[in-house]
Amino acid sequence: GAGVSQTPSNKVTEKGKYVELRCDPISGHTALYWYRQSLGQGPEFLIYFQGTGAADDSGLPNDRFFAVRPEGSVSTLKIQRTERGDSAVYLCASSSKTVSLIANTQYFGPGTRLTVL
Amino acid sequence: QKEVEQNSGPLSVPEGAIASLNCTYSDRVSQSFFWYRQYSGKSPELIMSIYSNGDKEDGRFTAQLNKASQYVSLLIRDSQPSDSATYLCAASGGGADGLTFGKGTHLIIQP
């Protein structure tokens, strides 16, 4: 079946602009995650959704970052007034519903490479 | 603050040998642990997950967990050049929590 998809694959923008990054999870997966990966670093957790609601947004770096998942499937990560430091690969992952304390496997999409000039 | 520590490498291993990758974590409430492989320019791909103390084997891969020492490792037997990649260790508090990743270990398998 289809995996996690993300669009665009690459996004170049100018400092101060607004960008939207899209994630389409694996069909049937209720949990959706956003991570940010800078060069030479591991992915850094940003936010996770269980269904339509943000269950944990503690990783969002500041109020310029916002994410939505209005119908419990596709999610959009929105970044306002972009800064050069926002340049990174933004990864989306999804997992099936968790029924125990053991974490379900998260499957990653190909990522969106954001470059802020 | 949750932290996962890995030696960034590079770790160079001859083809056919055993590659040993290590990881420590700071948060004692972490319940689940994952090893992801990431090729340059690609996204992380799950190799192994482990939840209980001891060893878990899957083909050429063995994950080891020691919760008392807060230590996770990954052994790769009969290393192949195609195993050359960055290996990311990740920990989760359980349930649907976000993952905390280490910086990754760059593994090079020398033909």
Side-chain angles (χ1 to χ4, degrees):
Chain A
V4 178
S5 62
Q6 292 186 245
T7 55
S9 55
N10 280 284
K11 176 70 177 179
V12 180
T13 191
E14 294 180 342
K15 180 176 179 294
K17 298 290 188 182
Y18 168 82
V19 297
E20 290 189 351
L21 312 179
R22 175 188 166 109
C23 172
D24 200 340
I26 293 171
S27 178
H29 279 190
T30 56
L32 184 147
Y33 305 80
W34 284 100
Y35 294 83
R36 176 170 69 175
Q37 187 173 25
S38 301
L39 195 62
Q41 303 294 315
E44 172 193 15
F45 169 76
L46 297 177
I47 185 170
Y48 113 78
F49 290 87
Q50 189 66 261
T52 59
D56 182 358
D57 64 358
S58 62
L60 294 177
N62 52 60
D63 61 6
R64 296 186 298 105
F65 289 75
F66 188 71
V68 296
R69 195 186 185 199
E71 297 179 356
S73 179
V74 170
S75 175
T76 304
L77 178 66
K78 308 180 180 193
I79 310 174
Q80 299 177 321
R81 303 183 305 279
T82 52
E83 300 177 357
R84 292 192 179 88
D86 298 334
S87 295
V89 175
Y90 288 81
L91 294 165
C92 177
S94 70
S95 72
S96 56
K97 182 174 181 177
T98 301
V99 294
S100 72
L101 288 176
I102 293 175
N104 281 358
T105 296
Q106 294 182 24
Y107 298 91
F108 283 83
T112 294
R113 181 175 298 280
L114 175 66
T115 303
V116 181
L117 301 177
Chain B
Q1 183 168 346
K2 302 176 186 178
E3 289 186 349
V4 174
E5 300 287 342
Q6 294 182 258
N7 188 322
S8 60
L11 173 65
S12 186
V13 173
E15 184 176 357
I18 296 174
S20 177
L21 304 163
N22 305 313
C23 165
T24 58
Y25 61 95
S26 64
D27 190 356
R28 284 197 170 273
V29 302
S30 294
Q31 298 281 342
S32 307
F33 303 88
F34 303 85
W35 284 99
Y36 284 84
R37 178 175 64 197
Q38 187 172 30
Y39 293 115
S40 181
K42 301 295 185 183
S43 61
E45 171 194 11
L46 182 74
I47 297 297
M48 294 280 290
S49 59
I50 188 166
Y51 316 113
S52 303
N53 278 325
D55 295 359
K56 179 182 178 183
E57 186 174 319
D58 184 0
R60 296 188 297 112
F61 299 95
T62 299
Q64 299 173 318
L65 174 60
N66 183 325
K67 289 188 177 181
S69 299
Q70 295 178 238
Y71 177 88
V72 192
S73 66
L74 179 71
L75 301 178
I76 307 174
R77 290 180 297 282
D78 187 24
S79 297
Q80 304 296 310
S82 60
D83 294 327
S84 297
T86 295
Y87 288 80
L88 297 162
C89 175
S92 169
D97 281 3
L99 298 174
T100 300
F101 282 88
K103 291 184 178 181
T105 297
H106 183 203
L107 175 66
I108 299 171
I109 306 300
Q110 295 181 322

